């Protein structure tokens, strides 16, 4: 007879302990949404606002949403030594929004309130999501502070570009709370001891499927959702990389801290990827560029013929971007990764065809999906084998696309030579 564990015997996974620091910027209201996402997905959240943050959103809001008392200073509940305990016991500290003042204090080790004390006592990963006006972000003092913090292993998320307080717009927005949440999840997934092994690295990721136009309204396209490429971009940012995401026709929010270049056609994708690749340490071609495009594009909408005949469409082959990047290697030592969606056929198994493709394309790694039956497209999960040009093969069991992305970056990081 098989023994079955009674419910009370099943080990409960402890809730990850998140410290949500909030400093004094108008984007403090967005941290309420971030807090909700954490609590609703089972995180134990302690909110530590600054006094200035409480000018924007009051303590009752933070207390009600987190289910815990809230204080900005070190003089409340002194017998529990909160200025040390909160940081020491956290699994991750995230500050959103992080103002220029908060970045400066963190960089210089100042500790004049509960949040800055917590930053000094934390031994867990720290994520700072700055939000401020463009001038303040670009100021050499702020940039020097950001550099110092990143060098120490802090994840400082690049602000988003868009509408700022008032009528002006530029770089300095807090990324969407849902995307800050996903980035912090990716940091937590890696665990406390995982190094920021992509810090200071420039990586390029392509995602989505290209469109090849027949006329102004019709195109040939494919089923790529962009989910895997976006997961790659998000996890690279969570590991400290400077990420350019070349996105072809994807309707997903920009991952936090990632600069997104939108393209439609394979030729536009090629130009954007080649431009970003010039200085990149790694390129991951997760996009599905169309292999063929119509040999001509009509300026006007193609009309139905009176006699009921269908127009014939001639196709020409598109350039193979992955093969071109692999051949030209814009930067010595850059790691190039391709994807292969294979079904296997009479000429060979999925892995036989993938090995041949790896050799043909000349890349360093090939992530092989078995797509018999359309298994991967649009799904939140993925499973793959990562083949290396050095003969390695890493099997990644079925799991989230974020989990596969982490293993791909492990393999990339292992291949950096400097
Ligand atoms: N790729 C590319 N440029 C293209 C087509 C594909 O860079 N014009 C890249 C994809 O981003 C992916 C890899 O090549 O990383 C494999 O794509 P796949 O469609 O499987 O390869 P093909 O060369 O088109 O091979 P097949 O004949 O099997 O379709």
């Amino acid at each position: 007879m098989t023994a079955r564990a009674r419910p009370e015997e099943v080990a409960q996974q402890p809730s990850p302990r998140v410290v949500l620091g909030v400093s004094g910027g108008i984007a403090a209201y967005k941290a309420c949404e971030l807090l909700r996402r954490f609590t609703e997905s089972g995180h134990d959240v302690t909110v530590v606002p600054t006094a200035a943050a409480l000018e924007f959103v009051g303590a009752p809001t933070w207390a009600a949403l987190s289910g815990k008392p809230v204080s900005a200073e070190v003089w409340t509940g002194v017998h529990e030594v909160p200025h040390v305990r909160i940081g020491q016991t956290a699994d991750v500290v995230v500050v959103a929004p992080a103002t220029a003042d908060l970045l400066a204090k963190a960089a210089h080790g100042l500790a004049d309130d509960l949040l800055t004390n917590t930053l000094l006592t934390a031994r867990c990963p720290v994520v700072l999501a700055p939000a401020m006006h463009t001038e303040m972000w670009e100021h050499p003092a702020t940039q020097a502070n950001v550099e110092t913090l990143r060098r120490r292993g802090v994840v400082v998320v690049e602000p988003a570009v868009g509408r700022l307080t008032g009528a002006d717009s530029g770089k300095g927005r807090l990324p969407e709370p849902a995307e800050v949440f996903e980035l912090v999840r990716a940091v937590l997934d890696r665990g406390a001891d995982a190094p920021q092994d992509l810090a200071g690295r420039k990586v390029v990721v392509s995602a989505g499927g290209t469109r090849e136009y027949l006329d102004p309204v019709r195109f040939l396209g494919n089923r790529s959702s962009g989910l895997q490429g976006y997961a790659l971009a998000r996890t690279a940012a969570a590991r400290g990389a400077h990420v350019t995401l070349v996105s072809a026709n994807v309707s997903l929010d920009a991952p936090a801290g990632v600069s997104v270049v939108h393209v439609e056609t394979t030729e536009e994708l090629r130009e954007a990827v080649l431009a970003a690749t010039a200085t990149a340490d790694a390129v991951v071609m997760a996009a599905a560029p169309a292999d063929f495009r119509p040999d001509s594009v009509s300026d006007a909408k193609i009309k139905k013929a009176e006699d009921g005949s269908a127009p014939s469409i001639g196709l020409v082959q598109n350039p193979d971007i992955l093969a071109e990047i692999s051949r030209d290697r814009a930067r010595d030592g850059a790691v190039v990764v391709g994807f292969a969606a294979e079904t296997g056929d009479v000429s060979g198994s999925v892995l036989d065809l993938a090995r041949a493709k790896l050799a043909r394309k000349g890349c360093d790694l090939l992530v092989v999906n078995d797509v018999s039956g359309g298994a991967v497209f649009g799904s939140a999960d993925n499973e793959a084998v990562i083949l290396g040009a050095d003969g390695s093969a890493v099997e990644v069991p079925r799991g989230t696309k974020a989990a596969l992305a982490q293993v791909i970056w492990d393999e990339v990081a292992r291949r950096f030579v400097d």
Side-chain angles (χ1 to χ4, degrees):
M1 210 171 100
T2 332
R4 188 181 281 176
R6 288 203 304 273
E8 65 270 24
E9 289 172 350
V10 176
Q12 287 281 313
Q13 281 286 90
S15 306
R17 283 157 304 188
V18 177
V19 172
L20 175 58
V22 186
S23 56
I26 185 69
Y29 78 92
K30 293 188 185 172
C32 300
E33 166 71 15
L34 180 58
L35 171 55
R36 272 217 100 103
R37 286 187 182 260
F38 282 126
T39 53
E40 283 174 7
S41 52
H43 298 74
D44 170 358
V45 191
T46 303
V47 182
V48 185
T50 63
L54 294 178
E55 296 286 330
F56 290 97
V57 180
T61 301
W62 303 119
L65 291 177
S66 68
K68 287 188 191 180
V70 162
S71 173
E73 35 77 19
V74 296
W75 308 115
T76 311
V78 177
H79 63 289
E80 290 178 330
V81 204
H83 75 288
V84 176
R85 183 185 46 81
I86 293 173
Q88 277 179 342
T89 56
D91 293 313
V92 69
V93 176
V94 49
V95 184
T99 58
D101 180 63
L102 188 281
L103 295 176
K105 284 179 173 156
H108 293 278
L110 300 184
D112 60 357
D113 62 5
L114 189 55
L115 179 54
T116 45
N117 274 274
T118 299
L119 286 169
L120 282 186
T121 53
R123 291 293 174 269
C124 58
V126 174
V127 178
L128 305 179
M132 63 196 74
H133 265 78
T134 312
E135 293 83 350
M136 297 174 88
W137 172 252
E138 288 177 348
H139 194 285
T142 305
Q143 286 302 305
N145 291 331
V146 168
E147 206 186 304
T148 301
L149 290 162
R150 285 182 174 156
R151 222 178 20 248
R152 288 185 196 139
V154 174
V155 179
V156 183
V157 183
E158 282 293 307
V161 176
R163 181 88 187 265
L164 304 170
T165 325
D168 47 353
S169 62
K171 190 166 187 174
R173 271 173 71 85
L174 187 72
E176 290 308 309
E179 287 301 326
V180 177
F181 170 77
E182 292 297 341
L183 183 136
V184 176
R185 282 288 335 157
V187 169
L188 273 169
D189 284 349
R190 294 250 300 147
D193 300 325
Q196 288 295 305
D197 55 355
L198 300 182
R201 299 286 183 183
K202 283 189 182 174
V203 306
V204 180
V205 178
S206 69
T210 59
R211 293 176 177 177
E212 303 299 341
Y213 281 90
L214 292 158
D215 68 18
V217 293
R218 300 185 183 92
F219 56 81
L220 302 175
N222 63 64
R223 291 172 60 191
S224 176
S225 65
L227 286 168
Q228 185 62 66
Y230 273 58
L232 278 156
R234 189 180 290 127
T235 46
R239 288 165 79 146
H242 181 286
V243 188
T244 302
L245 175 61
V246 182
S247 172
N249 311 298
V250 179
S251 53
L252 297 170
D253 280 335
V258 166
S259 61
V260 183
V261 181
H262 292 281
V263 297
E264 281 198 87
T265 65
T266 299
E267 190 46 45
E268 288 168 7
L269 181 79
R270 177 178 169 273
E271 274 173 31
V273 167
L274 291 185
T277 297
T279 53
D281 298 290
V283 186
V284 183
M285 284 293 297
D291 287 327
F292 307 102
R293 65 177 188 278
D295 56 9
S296 66
V297 185
S298 169
D299 289 339
K301 188 178 169 200
I302 301 167
K303 294 287 184 194
K304 287 197 287 289
E306 295 278 321
D307 63 1
S309 64
S312 58
I313 299 164
L315 298 174
V316 290
Q317 202 162 318
N318 270 327
D320 188 323
I321 306 164
L322 178 61
E324 187 175 348
I325 296 167
S326 302
R327 188 189 60 233
D328 295 350
R329 303 278 168 167
R331 201 183 150 279
D332 275 348
V335 179
V336 181
V337 185
F339 271 71
E342 299 289 354
T343 58
D345 60 21
V346 285
S347 68
S349 69
V350 166
L351 284 187
D352 292 338
L353 295 178
R355 275 265 167 235
K357 186 172 287 182
L358 174 65
R360 202 166 61 240
K361 301 262 186 181
C363 50
D364 302 296
L365 293 164
L366 192 70
V367 184
V368 186
N369 294 133
D370 182 342
V371 290
S372 323
V376 175
F377 300 107
S379 151
D381 286 349
N382 207 348
E383 68 183 306
V385 178
I386 306 172
L387 299 179
D390 51 9
S392 64
V394 176
E395 273 186 50
V396 188
R398 176 153 288 275
T400 62
K401 289 186 173 177
L404 173 58
Q406 297 281 20
V407 184
I408 294 169
W409 290 123
D410 288 344
E411 292 303 306
V412 169
R414 208 194 303 286
R415 283 165 174 80
F416 286 141
V417 282
D418 54 351

